[in-house]
Amino acid sequence: MTPHPGLAAVAGLIGTWRGEGVGQYPTIDSFSYTEEVTFTDAGKPFLHYLQRTWSPAGAPMHTETGYLRVVEGTRVEFVLAQPTGQTELAEGSLVSSADGFTCLLASRIVNSASAKQVDATRRRLELAGDILTTHFAMAAVGVPLTHHLASVMHRD
Amino acid sequence: MTPHPGLAAVAGLIGTWRGEGVGQYPTIDSFSYTEEVTFTDAGKPFLHYLQRTWSPAGAPMHTETGYLRVVEGTRVEFVLAQPTGQTELAEGSLVSSADGFTCLLASRIVNSASAKQVDATRRRLELAGDILTTHFAMAAVGVPLTHHLASVMHRD
């Protein structure tokens, strides 16, 4: 199946990625994790996204899911649902490179009634050939926007 | 794997559901569709949700994904991502019955910059034994809150 032409700038994401990450935040101890991300093409102008992480001992940690949309090859709209009770609409610029792209996304968050309060997030996704790098910053539980997660994954 | 105790009221959802639906809206012709919904347990206090629909001819139509959370057995938080560019946080009451439950959910929507504008949605999910019934109303593209979709599915 050929991806939708509007996805050309991010078609390199299609597939499964695995790697390692490190988390930190002022309110918790730092930690490391294994991450798996899958971007799936459905022949439509978006990619389905599913992410899962595990502790070094193999226990399931986080998961998130949603859709990646591309607008005119230069903007990304990353529409996300969090099992922790947030919706996250992360939007921003897409800059293509010789073997991938970088995108910088700022989010609008909605918190469910029972969720821990998340006020804002920033995401950076960088694809360079067979390496996918992610950065995630978060303003939450009274802490201003602060770096939280970074991971480096390789094509599975 | 035993579902998280907090999910007892909705544990009957776990599995795959298939059935038929009908759509209508003041701005479009009415249509029918086939729907498949899967609720997956991950041993955590939420269920993963993936929905897909097809036209009578078998062409992929809509899809959506996210997580269903239950609060104290009496409230549902349905955290959703839409490939059409919306996040949808649908929350409301959960009323258990002899063989299932009914939940009535009202949503807070965030629209991406390029999306068609959706202002609000209402969802009704009713589980009765092996029958899952869904209703979906939407205020969008200038139309006030109006019934849009109804489906009846059976456990696959």
Side-chain angles (χ1 to χ4, degrees):
Chain A
M1 184 162 55
T2 305
H4 189 281
L7 293 175
V10 301
L13 285 176
I14 295 169
T16 297
W17 304 81
R18 288 184 65 89
E20 307 299 320
V22 174
Q24 56 195 91
Y25 207 64
T27 55
I28 56 173
D29 291 335
S30 297
F31 60 96
S32 59
Y33 58 92
T34 298
E35 182 169 18
E36 182 182 292
V37 161
T38 303
F39 286 97
T40 307
D41 180 36
K44 296 210 171 189
F46 56 81
L47 298 178
H48 175 264
Y49 165 77
L50 178 63
Q51 184 256 28
R52 293 181 295 172
T53 66
W54 294 265
S55 73
M61 291 178 69
H62 186 66
T63 185
E64 61 190 31
T65 191
Y67 302 97
L68 187 83
R69 292 159 53 90
V70 179
V71 182
E72 295 175 357
T74 59
R75 289 188 61 79
V76 162
E77 299 174 348
F78 205 9
V79 187
L80 297 169
Q82 299 286 352
T84 44
Q86 292 84 20
T87 60
E88 179 182 355
L89 184 44
E91 299 178 272
S93 62
L94 174 72
V95 178
S96 293
S97 63
D99 58 352
F101 65 83
T102 299
C103 63
L104 293 168
L105 308 176
S107 303
R108 286 175 284 167
I109 307 288
V110 182
N111 292 276
S112 72
S114 76
K116 286 187 186 176
Q117 183 78 20
V118 177
D119 295 314
T121 68
R122 296 287 182 277
R123 288 176 181 262
R124 178 188 167 99
L125 277 179
E126 186 173 358
L127 176 68
D130 287 334
I131 300 178
L132 177 63
T133 307
T134 77
H135 290 83
F136 179 80
M138 177 171 73
V141 295
V143 177
L145 196 66
T146 300
H147 173 71
H148 178 37
L149 304 168
S151 66
V152 179
M153 289 175 273
H154 292 78
R155 191 180 295 279
D156 203 34
Chain B
M1 183 163 54
T2 304
H4 190 280
L7 293 175
V10 301
L13 284 176
I14 296 168
T16 297
W17 303 81
R18 287 186 65 89
E20 305 300 319
V22 173
Q24 56 195 90
Y25 207 65
T27 55
I28 57 172
D29 291 334
S30 297
F31 59 96
S32 59
Y33 58 92
T34 298
E35 183 169 18
E36 182 182 290
V37 161
T38 302
F39 286 96
T40 307
D41 180 36
K44 296 211 172 189
F46 57 81
L47 298 178
H48 175 264
Y49 165 77
L50 178 63
Q51 184 256 27
R52 293 181 294 172
T53 66
W54 294 265
S55 73
M61 291 178 69
H62 186 66
T63 185
E64 61 190 32
T65 192
Y67 302 98
L68 186 83
R69 292 159 53 90
V70 179
V71 182
E72 295 175 356
T74 60
R75 289 188 61 79
V76 162
E77 299 174 348
F78 205 9
V79 187
L80 297 168
Q82 300 286 352
T84 44
Q86 292 84 22
T87 60
E88 179 183 355
L89 184 44
E91 300 178 273
S93 62
L94 174 72
V95 178
S96 293
S97 63
D99 58 352
F101 65 84
T102 298
C103 63
L104 293 168
L105 309 176
S107 303
R108 286 175 284 167
I109 308 288
V110 182
N111 292 277
S112 72
S114 75
K116 287 188 185 176
Q117 184 77 22
V118 178
D119 296 313
T121 68
R122 296 288 182 277
R123 288 176 181 261
R124 177 189 168 99
L125 277 179
E126 185 173 358
L127 177 67
D130 287 334
I131 300 179
L132 178 63
T133 307
T134 78
H135 290 83
F136 179 80
M138 177 171 73
V141 295
V143 177
L145 195 66
T146 300
H147 173 72
H148 179 37
L149 304 168
S151 67
V152 179
M153 289 175 273
H154 293 78
R155 192 180 294 279
D156 202 33

